[in-house]
Amino acid sequence: MEKRLLQLFLLVIMALALVSFGAIEIPLNNLGDLNVDVAFQLALPYFFEQKLQFGEQVVFTYGPWGILLTAFLSPNTLTVVLLFRIALVICVFLALGNLPNRDSDRHSRIVFLSGAVGMVLLWMTGQRDSYLLFPALFVAYQRFLAVVATQHITKSERSIDPLLSIALTLLAGWAALAKFNIFVVSTVAFLLILIDDLKRRNWPLLPATYVVAILVGWLGADQSLVNLPLWVLRCLDLSNGYADAMAKGFFIPYSAGLVAIYYMAVSLIIFSSFAVAALHSWSSSAVLSLIFTLFVCAVSIKHGMGGNQIEQSLAVLVAVLWFVCQLLFISPAPNGAPGIKPWRRFGLTAAITALVFLAMVGAKTNFPIVGPHQIVADIRGNFSLMVNTMRGIPNDTWNGTLARVHRFWASPTVPTKQTIDVYPHYTGLVIGREGLRYVPRPAFLSLNAHTFKLALLNAGHLEGISAPDLLLFQVLPKERKVNNRHPALADGPSWPLLLSQYVPEHADDEFLLLKKRDLKLHIDRQLLIEADLKMGERLVLPHGASNLLWAEVDISRSAAGELLHVIYKSPHVLLESHMADNATHSFQIIPALGKVGFVMSPLVQNNAAFARLYQRESLPGDIVKSIIMSSPEAPAFFWKSTFKIKLYNLKVDLRP
């Protein structure tokens, strides 16, 4: 009776607390409220409905089914997301209640209760990545757990139901197309299952089901199969550059003490997984579980440390720790080698300590555990939305949100339907505009065009036949910059093309509206300076009010720096610009974007300065006289001793 009541309680909570199911209301008091997170979440339903091709037309770590994770949903996407989340709730609930009964009924209740509490917390705190990862985590660990149990336990037991495994696998394949980190973890999970199947000469039913789910999900989103590997490759490039792009300093935004506790927690989780392998005599399944745990921990570290999103990695690590503890509870073979048994005690001690450390980290960060009143309000809102959706009652939150966003830009009247893109990220301003059709560049947020390849891909888009008729352009003011990036790094390689192929059509307090020229103008570069410099060394630039200086800066890590970057992250690099009016400005430089090139002088800090580029006019406050590159928080060994810089005179033929 006790177990049944617990199961009922869990099902009700999980069913009603479908976190951020609908198109939520957000405060939109000014343009700053329309931040990058809101911009991409507004764009994802639009991409889904317009059937834009991911990997080709859209490059983002969210995939064609990113609507499964977004907090904003259009009326046309509500039903399909609702069906997915109901299926997820039912399968996760059944999986938790179907845990193997290995030692006793009491043990089964303990395992069920701990998993139930953990999953409810993940649901309530809104860690969507975590609960979309759960199907793959459950299938993988339960496979390893069931095989280990079969090898070591002679008591009667029940493993997870095969049909439930297939259902979870189908959900895992569907969820993998929502976000790239879910895709990577899920794919590795089923690859390891495939290895185990081949070793045991079993039919690879679950890996095959996962592949089918991926293909059906991709086609179901009206995507071309040709673009699936392209999406994977470009997401790898985007993900590999994320740590450099988000660099804020070695211990920013997290203190050295918090980082140390976090790494100790991860190390203890890994130690527990080694204890599992030792406890079970390094059997193949135990080793595969170890490999999988190491991989998930590595992904979590890069997400938490490199991406400055430690809160999201905590939930994944707690789930992994729970699965590892299940493997620790399985008894070794009766004839196990002497000295093996203590590994269980060591592993459990490490696991408990790791859980305490994770709780300490969560308590010192903005882990979004909301109060009971907010939880009840969210549940009521989600329940009402689900009922209305199933009854066919339309929800106007989406259109209302777009209407409120549109207030921040007064769109000029256009004679015919025009295509438009927006720089750097205010997608909501152009989605759903009468007379305009949003046609994004591949890396549709300038913030995410942070690698050499992606920056050039966006520039190439402007030279193609799909280049938009209009561009809504803004140089972000200082208070809205991300990590104080240099303003010319926002799609820097596209700037010469903006000058040669577009011309200002309209200006207001926030934006420039650029219109495509009838005839492209010629771009030419003349090398002025090529030098090797050290960090902190000053370089005097060629002067002249009409000079448009293009810079390419090649900053590379040393071998030791590469290692530290892999296991932790990189410190930021700063460019200090000394101006003709004696002012000094300091901005962050992303190494990959410095290498691909950007406009160094004039220093364009606002829309008016960008408009002056068309007239080759510069104020003294725009002209850069000299520069100094530095990386104040970097260890002395991190960067190579010198970096290379090339300066060009950039000419755009402005004659009619």
Side-chain angles (χ1 to χ4, degrees):
M1 184 64 180
E2 175 188 345
K3 185 175 180 180
R4 296 300 179 192
L5 288 175
L6 178 61
Q7 290 175 337
L8 179 62
F9 171 76
L10 174 65
L11 179 60
V12 170
I13 290 295
M14 292 172 65
L16 295 182
L18 288 169
V19 178
S20 303
F21 163 70
I24 63 173
E25 295 279 358
I26 60 170
L28 289 172
N29 301 316
N30 53 65
L31 190 61
D33 291 334
L34 195 65
N35 56 38
V36 176
D37 289 338
V38 175
F40 81 74
Q41 291 193 63
L42 284 173
L44 290 177
Y46 175 82
F47 295 160
F48 183 83
E49 293 181 358
Q50 297 296 316
K51 303 176 183 178
L52 296 185
Q53 297 297 301
F54 279 73
E56 179 187 4
Q57 295 174 296
V58 177
V59 179
F60 198 48
T61 50
Y62 283 72
W65 284 102
I67 57 173
L68 300 178
L69 283 168
T70 181
F72 300 95
L73 293 170
S74 66
N76 296 331
T77 57
L78 277 172
T79 302
V80 67
V81 174
L82 174 61
L83 291 174
F84 172 83
R85 295 194 179 181
I86 289 176
L88 179 66
V89 165
I90 292 173
C91 288
V92 169
F93 167 74
L94 293 176
L96 287 171
N98 228 334
L99 290 171
N101 186 9
R102 290 179 294 272
D103 291 333
S104 67
D105 289 338
R106 186 174 67 86
H107 172 262
S108 181
R109 287 196 297 271
I110 291 173
V111 173
F112 179 85
L113 178 62
S114 62
V117 171
M119 289 308 300
V120 168
L121 284 176
L122 294 185
W123 247 260
M124 288 184 172
T125 57
Q127 302 302 313
R128 294 186 293 273
D129 287 19
S130 305
Y131 65 72
L132 260 66
L133 269 173
F134 193 84
L137 293 176
F138 199 97
V139 172
Y141 277 113
Q142 288 299 101
R143 159 58 72 89
F144 305 143
L145 186 149
V147 174
V148 169
T150 302
Q151 292 172 343
H152 293 308
I153 297 177
T154 58
K155 297 178 182 180
S156 63
E157 60 196 6
R158 54 183 176 85
S159 60
I160 187 171
D161 185 271
L163 291 179
L164 182 56
S165 291
I166 292 174
L168 285 166
T169 301
L170 292 172
L171 285 173
W174 193 355
L177 298 178
K179 195 175 181 183
F180 186 63
N181 67 323
I182 300 174
F183 176 88
V184 169
V185 172
S186 300
T187 300
V188 169
F190 286 97
L191 180 61
L192 294 175
I193 291 174
L194 175 62
I195 293 172
D196 189 61
D197 281 333
L198 295 177
K199 180 181 182 300
R200 300 178 187 284
R201 299 183 180 180
N202 294 332
W203 285 101
L205 177 61
L206 294 181
T209 302
Y210 176 73
V211 171
V212 169
I214 290 286
L215 296 178
V216 171
W218 190 263
L219 293 173
D222 290 301
Q223 301 291 303
S224 169
L225 283 178
V226 176
N227 291 326
L228 177 56
L230 188 60
W231 176 68
V232 173
L233 291 174
R234 285 179 170 169
C235 281
L236 281 172
D237 178 50
L238 197 158
S239 300
N240 287 335
Y242 197 70
D244 274 338
M246 294 294 106
K248 297 182 180 181
F250 256 18
F251 299 116
I252 300 174
Y254 310 117
S255 66
L258 194 67
V259 170
I261 295 173
Y262 176 84
Y263 271 86
M264 288 173 67
V266 175
S267 299
L268 289 169
I269 294 172
I270 293 172
F271 179 83
S272 296
S273 194
F274 271 98
V276 168
L279 178 67
H280 298 293
S281 305
W282 300 96
S283 65
S284 60
S285 295
V287 171
L288 288 176
S289 75
L290 169 62
I291 294 172
F292 186 55
T293 302
L294 291 174
F295 180 78
V296 178
C297 286
V299 172
S300 295
I301 288 174
K302 295 308 292 184
H303 201 185
M305 291 291 107
N308 299 315
Q309 295 179 344
I310 197 172
E311 302 83 5
Q312 294 187 27
S313 76
L314 292 180
V316 177
L317 292 173
V318 169
V320 167
L321 186 60
W322 177 58
F323 284 115
V324 170
C325 286
Q326 290 186 63
L327 287 163
L328 283 167
F329 272 108
I330 300 176
S331 301
N335 58 349
I340 290 292
K341 210 168 185 179
W343 280 110
R344 180 188 298 167
R345 295 197 299 270
F346 296 152
L348 288 174
T349 301
I352 293 171
T353 308
L355 187 61
V356 172
F357 284 168
L358 291 176
M360 291 171 62
V361 174
K364 289 183 175 293
T365 59
N366 59 334
F367 197 79
I369 298 179
V370 298
H373 295 293
Q374 184 61 48
I375 292 172
V376 172
D378 289 344
I379 289 175
R380 290 175 58 189
N382 286 330
F383 181 72
S384 175
L385 185 58
M386 285 188 287
V387 170
N388 289 339
T389 301
M390 290 186 288
R391 293 173 60 188
I393 300 175
N395 180 273
D396 200 43
T397 307
W398 167 260
N399 292 326
T401 299
L402 287 182
R404 288 187 294 140
V405 170
H406 290 170
R407 292 183 294 113
F408 299 127
W409 176 53
S411 173
T413 303
V414 289
T416 59
K417 195 168 185 65
Q418 301 281 291
T419 57
I420 189 169
D421 194 4
V422 56
Y423 289 72
H425 64 250
Y426 293 118
T427 58
L429 295 176
V430 296
I431 293 175
R433 285 279 190 175
E434 185 177 355
L436 297 174
R437 180 166 64 90
Y438 175 38
V439 179
R441 57 203 179 278
F444 67 100
L445 304 175
S446 296
L447 177 72
N448 291 107
H450 56 231
T451 72
F452 189 95
K453 293 179 180 178
L454 290 179
L456 289 180
L457 187 66
N458 276 2
H461 171 73
L462 291 177
E463 296 181 294
I465 59 174
S466 58
D469 303 314
L470 302 170
L471 297 176
L472 185 62
F473 184 88
Q474 184 189 51
V475 179
L476 286 176
K478 185 175 182 179
E479 61 272 14
R480 297 187 211 148
K481 290 183 185 297
V482 177
N483 300 341
N484 194 35
R485 285 190 189 180
H486 192 286
L489 293 186
D491 273 304
S494 296
W495 282 30
L497 297 170
L498 298 180
L499 296 176
S500 69
Q501 296 180 198
Y502 292 85
V503 64
E505 174 78 1
H506 177 77
D508 57 31
D509 292 340
E510 289 283 358
F511 298 99
L512 294 173
L513 184 64
L514 309 180
K515 182 180 179 181
K516 188 185 291 186
R517 296 179 187 268
D518 294 329
L519 182 66
K520 299 179 182 179
L521 303 182
H522 180 67
I523 303 173
D524 185 44
R525 296 192 310 174
Q526 178 185 2
L527 181 63
L528 299 177
I529 294 176
E530 182 174 2
D532 292 327
L533 299 176
K534 295 181 179 180
M535 290 289 183
E537 185 176 353
R538 183 185 295 271
L539 176 66
V540 178
L541 306 188
H543 62 277
S546 64
N547 279 12
L548 186 61
L549 296 183
W550 180 262
E552 294 175 359
V553 184
D554 188 359
I555 301 174
S556 302
R557 289 180 285 267
S558 65
E562 287 287 358
L563 177 61
L564 188 56
H565 173 76
V566 168
I567 62 176
Y568 182 49
K569 62 179 180 179
S570 293
H572 55 221
V573 178
L574 300 179
L575 169 61
E576 190 176 277
S577 299
H578 297 265
M579 314 303 294
D581 64 353
N582 296 320
T584 300
H585 303 285
S586 183
F587 297 101
Q588 182 188 10
I589 293 291
I590 310 302
L593 298 183
K595 186 175 181 180
V596 74
F598 62 100
V599 173
M600 179 170 283
S601 181
L603 179 60
V604 178
Q605 299 194 74
N606 50 53
N607 292 343
F610 187 84
R612 288 194 290 270
L613 295 180
Y614 286 92
Q615 306 302 325
R616 288 296 181 92
E617 296 176 354
S618 298
L619 301 178
D622 299 337
I623 300 173
V624 181
K625 302 292 289 184
S626 65
I627 61 166
I628 298 175
M629 303 287 295
S630 64
S631 185
E633 293 193 350
F637 62 81
F638 193 91
W639 304 105
K640 288 184 178 179
S641 57
T642 61
F643 64 91
K644 185 177 293 292
I645 184 169
K646 295 180 180 179
L647 286 177
Y648 298 85
N649 186 30
L650 185 65
K651 294 182 179 180
V652 179
D653 188 357
L654 296 176
R655 292 173 297 178

